[in-house]
Amino acid sequence: MLLSLKFSVLAIALQLARVLAVPALQPYDSLAGLTRDEVDAFARSVKVVGGQPIPKPIKDTSLKLVNDKKHPWKPLRAGDQRGPCPGLNALASHGWLPRSGVATPGEIVTAVQNGYNMEWTRAVLVTYAAFLVNGNPLTNLLSIGESRGMSWLTGHAPPPPALASGLNTHGTFEGDASLTRSDAFLGDNHSFNETLFQQLIDISNKVGGGKYNVSAAAEMRFQRVQDSIARNPNFNFANPRFNTAFIEAVFPIVFFIDGRLQEAGETGLDLDVMRGFFQDHRMPKDFHRRGTPTGASDSELDFVMAAHDYVPGFNNGSVNSFVADPNFMGTQTETVCALYEKFVNSTVSLYPSPHGDLRKALNKNLDNFYVAVESRCDQIKPYH
Ligand code: HEM
Ligand SMILES: *[C@@H]1O[C@H](CO)[C@@H](O)[C@H](O)[C@H]1NC(C)=O
Ligand SMILES: *[C@@H]1O[C@H](CO)[C@@H](O)[C@H](O)[C@H]1NC(C)=O
Ligand SMILES: *[C@@H]1O[C@H](CO)[C@@H](O)[C@H](O)[C@H]1NC(C)=O
Ligand SMILES: *[C@@H]1O[C@H](CO)[C@@H](O)[C@H](O)[C@H]1NC(C)=O
Ligand SMILES: *[C@@H]1O[C@H](CO)[C@@H](O)[C@H](O)[C@H]1NC(C)=O
């Protein structure tokens, strides 16, 4: 009796020691870099939800008021998380996403459709890419802010033990040459940067007639890349950043111009409206989303990419040493498939040999991610 009591006390103590050994993780933190025991201990401390089906596309994709009575802007409360994405930040500050800034991938897929009319396939692509490398597969939660995971996506190295091998490798480390945030190497890499926004205003005044149109997007994109080549010895402009940097440069034009103005032919974004989204996470008064779903992959994107010569690549450790990435396409021939492959590779480098519920959840989310490219790419199944 006494012996078994001693044993159970010992067992509890051991159990406790293992729980305590887990780095203090939030439920939305990435589990990359944890040992199997640490993952198991984390799993015992939370409600394990795992991978979930993707919500269906929204039915009503009409032009409509989205800064409405049910979705007023509210200031941040202590603990609310906001991050590098003005689109998601504003959805959270208007309650289209949880105001905490912590959401499931399903909530994000639905919110970007509801709030901006982002097309479902694009929403699935972007959301599950981010979720795989940043989210918590067991709780099915992602922080849109500076969590351990998002930090990685935005250019901070996560603290040990999350330093997976891929992180020091060029091309798994992304986030340079953002429009309104500094490169990680050069300064504050996550906050709105007024100096950069002033550059954007100057460019918009010069080539956009005082608005952020595709001409302004093209020049701003180019200037940010040139600046990083010249000042950031670790500048990384390889896949996937090579892709996202162009898409994000046109998102403001596609999604932040009021739908009614778009239908009247407006192609430039008012700079005060832009500042509202980028700095304050705020939609303008009476904001109506665009009237047709889009992924923003078409003419605007082509315009920005064609305006200057670009190759995916990186500086080699000193400034002005930009070289092309010889492995840009990986094993693929289509760009979108190379992007898909890259995120699958990153997932594997973050979770080299997952077990149990973690493996199941990763597989479900890899399947979800694949849905966005299934008409064009062969599926990669790293854990089957
Ligand atoms: C679908 C889910 C989405 C996810 C997971 C996501 C995530 C992100 C992330 C991680 C970044 C930072 C990229 C970097 O610099 O490394 C970013 C930037 C950006 N996102 Fe999103 N985003 C999403 C949807 C949207 C939508 C719907 C919009 C527009 C309505 C948007 C607009 C932007 C813009 C304009 C930037 C560039 C900010 C800058 O360079 O200063 N995003 N997003
Ligand atoms: C803002 O950006 C400028 C230009 O890249 C940079 O010199 C400055 O350090 C940045 N500010 C912060 C606070 O990071
Ligand atoms: C990103 O910026 C933060 C805040 O300025 C800084 O503490 C951090 O070291 C930066 N991250 C990297 C990888 O330089
Ligand atoms: C952007 O706006 C300026 C000023 O109105 C205009 O000259 C330019 O043609 C516009 N860019 C495009 C691609 O329409
Ligand atoms: C990086 O590139 C520069 C300029 O092209 C070159 O001088 C330097 O030797 C290279 N450094 C490394 C480490 O490859
Ligand atoms: C993904 O990893 C495979 C296997 O290591 C490699 O052959 C391929 O080039 C990688 N793809 C990309 C896009 O980096």
Side-chain angles (χ1 to χ4, degrees):
M1 171 69 188
L2 195 62
L3 195 66
S4 77
L5 185 68
K6 254 190 198 158
F7 267 122
S8 50
V9 169
L10 187 66
I12 290 167
L14 275 176
Q15 203 70 336
L16 198 64
R18 280 166 68 190
V19 172
L20 292 177
V22 180
L25 287 181
Q26 301 296 329
Y28 48 78
D29 275 331
S30 160
L31 297 173
L34 300 191
T35 64
R36 185 176 178 172
D37 282 348
E38 287 166 343
V39 170
D40 289 347
F42 175 81
R44 286 191 296 273
S45 73
V46 294
K47 180 161 178 275
V48 174
V49 175
Q52 296 295 316
I54 314 170
K56 296 266 174 301
I58 60 168
K59 289 215 173 72
D60 173 8
T61 57
S62 62
L63 189 156
K64 67 175 172 191
L65 178 70
V66 289
N67 187 1
D68 59 9
K69 280 216 180 68
K70 277 178 151 169
H71 301 91
W73 182 87
K74 287 188 187 168
L76 296 181
R77 304 159 306 185
D80 285 351
Q81 317 229 357
R82 296 294 179 270
C85 177
L88 298 180
N89 288 345
L91 289 173
S93 285
H94 283 269
W96 284 102
L97 280 173
R99 290 181 187 270
S100 63
V102 176
T104 67
E107 286 173 327
I108 294 174
V109 166
T110 299
V112 297
Q113 294 174 83
N114 279 328
Y116 303 118
N117 230 339
M118 181 182 260
E119 192 263 325
W120 184 83
T121 313
R122 165 76 58 166
V124 168
L125 182 76
V126 182
T127 301
Y128 286 94
F131 187 75
L132 281 165
V133 298
N134 288 289
N136 186 305
L138 293 180
T139 58
N140 201 36
L141 293 173
L142 170 73
S143 164
I144 67 168
E146 290 289 319
S147 70
R148 185 169 173 269
M150 204 66 157
S151 307
W152 180 78
L153 190 70
T154 56
H156 307 249
L163 266 179
S165 58
L167 269 176
N168 296 329
T169 322
H170 275 304
T172 56
F173 185 94
E174 58 176 314
D176 288 340
S178 301
L179 304 178
T180 63
R181 288 173 310 116
S182 251
D183 291 3
F185 183 84
L186 295 174
D188 182 332
N189 44 62
H190 55 267
S191 311
F192 175 84
N193 180 315
E194 184 64 42
T195 310
L196 295 178
F197 198 72
Q198 287 300 331
Q199 291 174 11
L200 187 146
I201 290 176
D202 289 347
I203 287 175
S204 301
N205 284 335
K206 269 196 206 106
V207 303
K211 293 196 170 152
Y212 184 80
N213 68 359
V214 281
S215 303
E219 293 321 302
M220 186 66 184
R221 176 44 44 247
F222 186 61
Q223 179 167 313
R224 296 294 298 127
V225 169
Q226 295 305 107
D227 182 58
S228 291
I229 291 174
R231 293 201 304 139
N232 177 357
N234 299 333
F235 178 46
N236 188 310
F237 203 55
N239 186 8
R241 185 58 187 153
F242 185 74
N243 240 279
T244 58
F246 292 100
I247 295 170
E248 288 160 14
V250 302
F251 271 180
I253 296 162
V254 177
F255 294 117
F256 294 158
I257 299 178
D258 190 286
R260 295 165 300 178
L261 294 175
Q262 291 199 35
E263 302 214 336
E266 180 60 68
T267 54
L269 175 60
D270 179 276
L271 296 174
D272 290 332
V273 171
M274 187 164 188
R275 180 188 284 281
F277 278 104
F278 274 73
Q279 185 169 23
D280 305 326
H281 324 141
R282 192 171 202 155
M283 298 175 178
K285 189 170 178 289
D286 205 30
F287 181 67
H288 286 55
R289 72 179 185 196
R290 54 175 296 126
T292 47
T294 183
S297 53
D298 13 54
S299 57
E300 293 93 349
L301 196 54
D302 293 343
F303 183 97
V304 174
M305 291 194 85
H308 294 278
D309 284 335
Y310 294 102
V311 280
F314 26 73
N315 274 346
N316 70 3
S318 49
V319 296
N320 292 315
S321 66
F322 195 82
V323 285
D325 175 5
N327 192 36
F328 175 53
M329 293 301 289
T331 69
Q332 305 292 328
T333 51
E334 271 203 78
T335 315
V336 68
C337 302
L339 190 72
Y340 164 69
E341 182 176 289
K342 184 76 202 184
F343 275 101
V344 174
N345 282 5
S346 296
T347 304
V348 176
S349 71
L350 293 168
Y351 300 99
S353 53
H355 295 274
D357 285 342
L358 178 57
R359 186 186 188 94
K360 220 170 112 186
L362 288 169
N363 275 330
K364 177 68 185 166
N365 287 309
L366 283 165
D367 287 349
N368 288 343
F369 181 38
Y370 177 65
V371 166
V373 296
E374 67 187 353
S375 62
R376 302 172 68 176
C377 319
D378 289 333
Q379 186 166 16
I380 305 165
K381 296 188 165 189
Y383 304 127
H384 284 269

